[in-house]
Amino acid sequence: GPASFEGWWFRTAADAEDSRQPARFKLEASDDAINWRVEGGSTWIASDWGEYKFGTGRFESGAPGEVVKMEHYVGWPWAVVELSPMLLTLVLLVACILGLL
C-alpha cells in the first residue's frame, strides 16, 4: 500500500574528516515508481509559508556528529510567530474598511 512520511534525518560523521561527511545529495519519492519528486536535498531554502525548495549544492555540515532534521509539516510555533502579525493586520484592515475604527 501507499506509504507516507513526515520528515527525514541523518547524522554527520562523528569526526571532522571531510571524506566521511555528506557532500551533495537529493531524496526523491514516487507514488508510482515512474514519476518522481524531490523531497529533500543537500541545500534548501525555506519560504515564508514553510515550503522548501531543494537543490544539490554542497552540503555545509555543522559540528561532527550533528543530527540534521528535515520535517515536512508546518509546526504550531512557526504558524503562531509567522501568521499572527498578518492576521492582526487583516483584522485591522477589515475593521477600518467597515468603519469600526
Side-chain angles (χ1 to χ4, degrees), residues 23-91:
R24 298 176 198 280
F25 60 88
K26 67 180 173 177
L27 174 67
E28 295 181 312
S30 174
D31 296 322
D32 57 12
I34 296 171
N35 300 299
W36 294 84
R37 65 188 173 280
V38 177
E39 294 286 346
S42 51
T43 58
W44 59 86
I45 298 171
S47 74
D48 290 338
W49 297 102
E51 298 171 342
Y52 291 94
K53 292 190 185 239
F54 298 101
T56 55
R58 182 158 176 79
F59 175 73
E60 298 295 330
S61 59
E66 174 187 20
V67 173
V68 178
K69 296 180 184 178
M70 181 58 65
E71 298 174 330
H72 284 253
Y73 63 90
V74 176
W76 283 106
W78 176 89
V80 169
V81 169
E82 293 294 324
L83 297 180
S84 293
M86 288 184 269
L87 290 175
L88 179 60
T89 302
L90 181 61
V91 167

